[in-house]
C-alpha cells in the first residue's frame, strides 16, 4: 500500500486489493464472472485501458483507497500476464512439464508463492490488522458479501496447502513489484 495513507485508508486499500478475487471465494468462478470482476480482455492493451477508464469513471463512486486497491490488484494481473506468465511457462517447459500440465503447474507455482507469504511479517503485522478494521462494499460486479468472505479467509489464513514455488524467487518478485508500480503510475 502507498506509504502516505491513514490507517483507515490502508485498511480499505488492502480490502480493495483482494476484492477482484472474491468472486472465486467459494469455488473457481466461471470465466465470464472472473473476467467481469477483473475488467478483463484478451488484448492486454485493451485490458489496461479498461482499468484506466474504470478508475477515472469511478473516482466519486467508491472510497478512494478502496478503488485504488481494487485497480492495483487488476494492474498486478496485467503486469503478470504481460511479462511474467510467459517466463513461467517457458521455465516449466524447460523443466520438462508436459503441455497438458502447464496450467496446473502454473497455478501450483503461484499458490506456492502465496503460501510462502502467509507467515510474512508484512501480512501478519500490516495486512491482517488492517483487514480486520475494513468494511466491504460492493465494487464493480463483486458483492460485499463475497469480499467479506474472502477477507475472513485471508485474516484466518484459511487456504489450501501448496507445494513450495521453484521459479518465483525473491529477486523475480521484487522486479515484479517494481513493474507493477511503474504500470500503475501510467494508468493512474
Amino acid at each position: 500500500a502507498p506509504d502516505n495513507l491513514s490507517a483507515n485508508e490502508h485498511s480499505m486499500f488492502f480490502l480493495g486489493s483482494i476484492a477482484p478475487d472474491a468472486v472465486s471465494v467459494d469455488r473457481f468462478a466461471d470465466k465470464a464472472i472472473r473476467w467481469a470482476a477483473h475488467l478483463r480482455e484478451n488484448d492486454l492493451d485493451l485490458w489496461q485501458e479498461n482499468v484506466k477508464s474504470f478508475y477515472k469513471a469511478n473516482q466519486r463512486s467508491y472510497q478512494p483507497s478502496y478503488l485504488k486497491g481494487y485497480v492495483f490488484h487488476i494492474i498486478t494481473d496485467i503486469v503478470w500476464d504481460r511479462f511474467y506468465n510467459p517466463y513461467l511457462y517457458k521455465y516449466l517447459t524447460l523443466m520438462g512439464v508436459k503441455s497438458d500440465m502447464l496450467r496446473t503447474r502454473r497455478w501450483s507455482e503461484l499458490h506456492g508463492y502465496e503460501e510462502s507469504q502467509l507467515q510474512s511479517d508484512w501480512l501478519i503485522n500490516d495486512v491482517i490488522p488492517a483487514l480486520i478494521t475494513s468494511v466491504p462494499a460492493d465494487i464493480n460486479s463483486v458483492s460485499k458479501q463475497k469480499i467479506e468472505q474472502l477477507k475472513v479467509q485471508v485474516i484466518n489464513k484459511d487456504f489450501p496447502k501448496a507445494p513450495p514455488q521453484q521459479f518465483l524467487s525473491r529477486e523475480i518478485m521484487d522486479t515484479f513489484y517494481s513493474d507493477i508500480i511503474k504500470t500503475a503510475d501510467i494508468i493512474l
Side-chain angles (χ1 to χ4, degrees):
D3 293 331
N4 59 345
L5 300 179
S6 70
N8 180 58
E9 290 171 323
H10 263 106
S11 71
M12 294 307 290
F13 179 87
F14 288 134
L15 186 65
S17 72
I18 66 170
D21 285 346
V23 295
S24 292
V25 70
D26 297 318
R27 63 175 179 77
F28 198 60
D30 292 334
K31 180 179 179 178
I33 293 169
R34 292 189 326 270
W35 281 40
H38 289 79
L39 309 167
R40 186 73 161 94
E41 294 288 341
N42 274 326
D43 180 303
L44 297 178
D45 292 329
L46 186 54
W47 187 10
Q48 191 166 310
E49 282 304 313
N50 285 353
V51 175
K52 188 176 198 172
S53 297
F54 180 83
Y55 183 72
K56 287 184 178 189
N58 287 285
Q59 294 284 314
R60 289 182 167 72
S61 302
Y62 303 107
Q63 195 274 354
S65 296
Y66 190 52
L67 176 61
K68 194 169 277 188
Y70 186 80
V71 299
F72 243 81
H73 173 113
I74 299 169
I75 291 167
T76 298
D77 288 352
I78 292 169
V79 171
W80 178 264
D81 282 7
R82 179 170 277 145
F83 301 112
Y84 293 84
N85 208 33
Y87 290 112
L88 178 55
Y89 276 121
K90 188 179 290 186
Y91 168 81
L92 292 171
T93 301
L94 290 172
M95 295 303 292
V97 176
K98 302 286 187 232
S99 61
D100 62 334
M101 290 299 297
L102 281 174
R103 188 176 192 87
T104 300
R105 286 293 302 276
R106 171 191 173 264
W107 281 110
S108 180
E109 183 74 13
L110 293 170
H111 291 143
Y113 179 76
E114 290 172 353
E115 171 92 14
S116 76
Q117 297 305 296
L118 289 178
Q119 301 308 316
S120 66
D121 289 343
W122 70 271
L123 184 79
I124 294 166
N125 298 326
D126 298 328
V127 177
I128 290 175
L131 284 175
I132 289 170
T133 64
S134 66
V135 179
D138 295 342
I139 188 165
N140 189 19
S141 62
V142 188
S143 74
K144 65 183 177 186
Q145 293 83 5
K146 292 276 190 184
I147 298 166
E148 178 67 23
Q149 279 182 267
L150 184 55
K151 171 185 141 176
V152 169
Q153 190 178 27
V154 172
I155 290 169
N156 294 329
K157 298 190 271 182
D158 183 20
F159 296 96
K161 288 285 185 200
Q165 79 276 10
Q166 298 171 351
F167 173 75
L168 299 175
S169 66
R170 169 64 22 219
E171 296 78 22
I172 289 172
M173 296 312 289
D174 286 346
T175 304
F176 176 51
Y177 300 143
S178 175
D179 289 342
I180 294 167
I181 300 301
K182 290 175 193 168
T183 304
D185 286 343
I186 293 167
I187 294 175
L188 309 178

